[in-house]
Amino acid sequence: MTNAAFPALRLRRTRSTAWSRALVAENRVSPADLIWPLFITEGRAVEEPVAALPGVSRWSVDRIADRAREARDLGIPCIALFPNTPHDKRSQDGREALNPDNLMCRAIRAIKDAAPDIGVLTDVALDPYTAHGHDGIVDESGYVLNDITSALLVDQALVQAAAGSDVIAPSDMMDGRVGAIRSALEREGHVNVQIMAYAAKYASAFYGPFRDAVGSRGLLKGDKKNYQMDPANGEEALREVALDLAEGADSVMVKPGLPYLDIVRRVKDRFEVPVFAYQVSGEYAMIEAAAAAGAGDRDALVMETLMAFKRAGCSGVLTYHAAHAARLMAG
């Protein structure tokens, strides 16, 4: 069939040169779109590579300050912290999470001293602190108890806010915890501390390397399917997001990232709020493995996936490739 508009209309015209492609690009990625997840560990002058995440390390508190300055210099506005809590400080109830001098709180203070203009996002969940690897308090059957856990998450959030956290990010998926945390932050005067809710966090197979990084692999009894979302469900994600926003979340997150871009798009279209995605450890490891096997160009894979997040509607992306991507963008 003949196209009546051809050859007057040729969509390839604007693709023919680099300058033209730049002018008509519908989406752009910059370092300001990135949040850099970092792992912290005990000790001094420690850089401990994570075997399951090539190029990613755990850092001691004194070295995490250097990473904060690096992020600042690269134009990355925010870093996210995840602790590798020593096994002797893990317990059934995760009480180390409430210690105002725990690994997380010391790292927050070190970052704020080193680079006060960098945003600090902190994970609120008990799995880095529990001996059983779950995100909350479990009963004798292994079921995570919602309300008891939520009360502990509130106290954890207050400890982190007092240490200087800018963004509290509850990743546990307990019902009602966002509202409880927001009320507590207001009551204690932390009115400008944001909440980025892990609103649609799926029970995913892509989290394995992360559990290595925080020392939880091998501890987990069973799975997390009774509190994290079923990968089969999309409408449920919208209900979760609606509840978290109603309870006071300032932004929401979809996790994992690339396998759930349809959820990102639906959330953005429905709610028109800041939506973030976490390009999780398994996604990072797959890119690294593909590049190592010669199956794809690492830099191109990194930048194309970041563009996919932006095109889907993300305000920003948590990615272990943040520093590398920011250097690529700097040219």
Side-chain angles (χ1 to χ4, degrees):
M1 189 170 95
T2 302
N3 181 351
F6 183 83
L9 180 61
R10 294 177 183 263
L11 293 183
R12 290 183 58 193
R13 284 195 190 102
T14 55
R15 303 177 205 148
S16 62
T17 59
W19 66 262
S20 179
R21 291 191 295 272
L23 281 176
V24 301
E26 297 174 22
N27 294 281
R28 288 181 170 81
V29 180
S30 79
D33 297 315
L34 306 177
I35 298 174
W36 190 9
L38 294 168
F39 298 106
I40 43 179
T41 194
E42 293 287 0
R44 287 195 59 80
V46 174
E47 178 184 352
E48 186 175 65
V50 179
L53 290 170
V56 174
S57 294
R58 303 179 192 94
W59 304 92
S60 54
V61 169
D62 58 313
R63 300 292 298 275
I64 207 71
D66 294 333
R67 303 286 73 72
R69 285 186 281 262
E70 181 181 358
R72 177 198 62 201
D73 294 345
L74 288 169
I76 298 170
C78 184
I79 57 180
L81 296 178
F82 299 92
N84 178 26
T85 303
H87 284 269
D88 62 357
K89 292 186 178 179
R90 290 174 176 262
S91 60
Q92 291 299 307
D93 60 3
R95 283 283 166 180
E96 179 64 12
L98 312 186
N99 177 3
D101 200 38
N102 64 21
L103 187 55
M104 177 74 88
C105 292
R106 283 182 278 128
I108 295 168
R109 291 192 289 267
I111 290 166
K112 284 301 179 184
D113 286 343
D117 294 335
I118 285 287
V120 178
L121 181 152
T122 51
D123 179 57
V124 169
L126 297 183
D127 55 321
Y129 306 93
T130 56
H132 46 68
H134 277 289
D135 294 49
I137 306 303
V138 299
D139 66 14
E140 59 277 1
S141 71
Y143 184 81
V144 173
L145 300 169
N146 194 94
D147 297 354
I148 293 172
T149 297
S150 290
L152 291 173
L153 298 175
V154 169
D155 292 341
Q156 182 184 15
L158 290 176
V159 164
Q160 293 178 1
S165 175
D166 299 294
V167 185
I168 298 296
S171 65
D172 55 282
M173 292 299 288
M174 297 299 110
D175 291 329
R177 90 282 201 209
V178 170
I181 291 170
R182 184 73 269 165
S183 294
L185 291 172
E186 296 291 316
R187 184 179 67 247
E188 296 299 319
H190 302 297
V191 297
N192 287 326
V193 173
Q194 300 178 37
I195 296 177
M196 181 188 294
Y198 286 63
K201 181 178 180 180
Y202 285 84
S204 172
F206 285 90
Y207 300 148
F210 176 92
R211 290 173 184 163
D212 283 344
V214 298
S216 293
R217 190 188 287 275
L219 298 178
L220 186 64
K221 304 298 187 292
D223 55 46
K224 301 189 176 187
K225 293 180 181 179
N226 70 48
Y227 49 102
Q228 294 178 359
M229 284 189 57
D230 185 341
N233 294 352
E235 294 296 330
E236 184 183 11
L238 301 183
R239 295 175 66 194
E240 288 279 9
V241 169
L243 287 169
D244 285 356
L245 290 172
E247 292 175 22
D250 300 286
S251 58
V252 294
M253 187 197 298
V254 175
K255 181 181 179 183
L258 286 178
Y260 296 88
L261 289 184
D262 62 314
I263 305 301
V264 171
R265 183 74 265 166
R266 292 175 70 181
V267 170
K268 188 65 175 181
D269 288 345
R270 174 74 65 87
F271 299 103
E272 299 181 335
V273 297
V275 181
F276 293 80
Y278 198 144
Q279 188 177 34
V280 298
S281 59
E283 298 175 66
Y284 172 92
M286 288 170 66
I287 290 174
E288 292 298 309
D297 179 79
R298 181 176 185 245
D299 295 351
L301 290 168
V302 168
M303 296 308 300
E304 186 173 338
T305 55
L306 292 178
M307 185 61 76
F309 286 115
K310 289 295 289 183
R311 191 181 64 247
C314 282
S315 298
V317 185
L318 288 82
T319 175
Y320 303 100
H321 281 124
H324 179 67
R327 292 189 185 95
L328 291 177
M329 289 180 238

